Amino acid sequence: EPEVTQTPSHQVTQMGQEVILRCVPISNHLYFYWYRQILGQKVEFLVSFYNNEISEKSEIFDDQFSVERPDGSNFTLKIRSTKLEDSAMYFCASSEPGGVVEEKLFFGSGTQLSVL
Amino acid sequence: DAKTTQPPSMDCAEGRAANLPCNHSTISGNEYVYWYRQIHSQGPQYIIHGLKNNETNEMASLIITEDRKSSTLILPHATLRDTAVYYCIVRVGRYNFNKFYFGSGTKLNVKP
């Protein structure tokens, strides 16, 4: 069964450093998302992306965050200058187009980001 | 924010049916009910979804009340591997982006 792949599974960085989290969505999917989950808390929506642009973002997704689809397969989340409170599990997700087939969101296994 | 209410935890004996309730009293006519689960800190896994009819797939059944204000996810024969947090989510429409709001979910403990 096709799946969303995320790398790395764990990322440790120093406060103030830039990090890039990588995702390979399911190949025929057109909608891409990032969610995050701080330890012990809810899964939170960050951003959705379609047709090479952000379609919606949450309050969490401030100027320190950016997303990109640099080629036909990868989808990345960049945090420009990490803060301690950015420590969380980051999940990438993708979904196929709506229409006759109702959209299901498929999540990757996540990248655990630890900011020291 | 999350528009659903779920009990924080439930226990179920292995091999028995697990019935997980969800209240979504403010649901609108075009909102779907989705169920996901999260095992440990893995990515949420899709289980099932529906609009107003009951649904069944290889994983579970979804029973939606006639007024659509509540639903029940049924795992017919729970196993230890079904221990997870189960999320009930309502989503607007069919063509909108899947900006799911995850609540706190129900922690299902399947016991031997």
Side-chain angles (χ1 to χ4, degrees):
Chain A
E1 183 174 302
E3 59 182 24
V4 176
T5 305
Q6 290 187 243
T7 55
S9 57
H10 293 85
Q11 174 87 50
V12 181
T13 189
Q14 295 291 323
M15 190 170 56
Q17 294 295 304
E18 174 185 287
V19 294
I20 297 176
L21 309 183
R22 303 181 191 279
C23 168
V24 178
I26 295 173
S27 61
N28 65 330
H29 286 187
L30 299 180
Y31 299 84
F32 313 112
Y33 311 82
W34 284 100
Y35 285 73
R36 80 171 187 189
Q37 187 175 31
I38 295 171
L39 185 63
Q41 298 187 24
K42 300 175 185 178
V43 177
E44 303 172 289
F45 168 79
L46 291 179
V47 65
S48 58
F49 189 87
Y50 170 71
N51 199 26
N52 280 320
E53 60 182 27
I54 290 173
S55 52
E56 195 163 2
K57 59 185 180 181
S58 71
E59 294 174 351
I60 303 167
F61 195 89
D62 61 22
D63 292 343
Q64 292 299 312
F65 292 87
S66 62
V67 289
E68 190 179 30
R69 188 155 163 80
D71 53 43
S73 60
N74 291 287
F75 180 52
T76 62
L77 174 69
K78 182 194 290 187
I79 308 175
R80 235 178 300 282
S81 177
T82 51
K83 302 190 275 284
L84 295 176
E85 53 265 38
D86 294 327
S87 295
M89 180 73 88
Y90 288 81
F91 296 110
C92 173
S94 67
S95 66
E96 55 195 351
V100 175
V101 176
E102 290 158 4
E103 295 168 71
K104 296 190 283 270
L105 215 58
F106 293 85
F107 287 82
S109 54
T111 294
Q112 178 64 54
L113 176 65
S114 299
V115 182
L116 306 178
Chain B
D1 285 357
K3 298 172 62 174
T4 62
T5 304
Q6 299 177 252
S9 66
M10 291 182 65
D11 291 337
C12 178
E14 189 178 19
R16 306 298 291 267
N19 297 283
L20 292 91
C22 178
N23 285 318
H24 31 79
S25 57
T26 60
I27 195 169
S28 301
N30 63 347
E31 290 184 322
Y32 287 75
V33 179
Y34 282 72
W35 282 83
Y36 277 75
R37 72 180 183 183
Q38 188 176 27
I39 298 172
H40 290 298
S41 295
Q42 296 176 24
Q45 176 190 22
Y46 168 82
I47 301 173
I48 200 166
H49 74 284
L51 183 61
K52 50 187 172 183
N53 297 324
N54 297 337
E55 303 287 344
T56 295
N57 63 21
E58 65 278 3
M59 288 182 70
S61 294
L62 173 61
I63 308 298
I64 302 174
T65 57
E66 197 168 334
D67 63 8
R68 303 208 325 119
K69 292 186 177 182
S70 66
S71 61
T72 300
L73 177 74
I74 300 173
L75 307 179
H77 306 286
T79 70
L80 298 178
R81 286 179 293 184
D82 292 321
T83 293
V85 178
Y86 287 77
Y87 298 100
C88 169
I89 302 164
V90 295
R91 183 179 81 85
V92 176
R94 174 179 289 192
Y95 299 104
N96 290 357
F97 297 107
N98 279 310
K99 190 177 74 174
F100 285 167
Y101 288 110
F102 286 81
S104 301
T106 295
K107 176 71 164 64
L108 176 68
N109 298 300
V110 180
K111 302 189 173 182

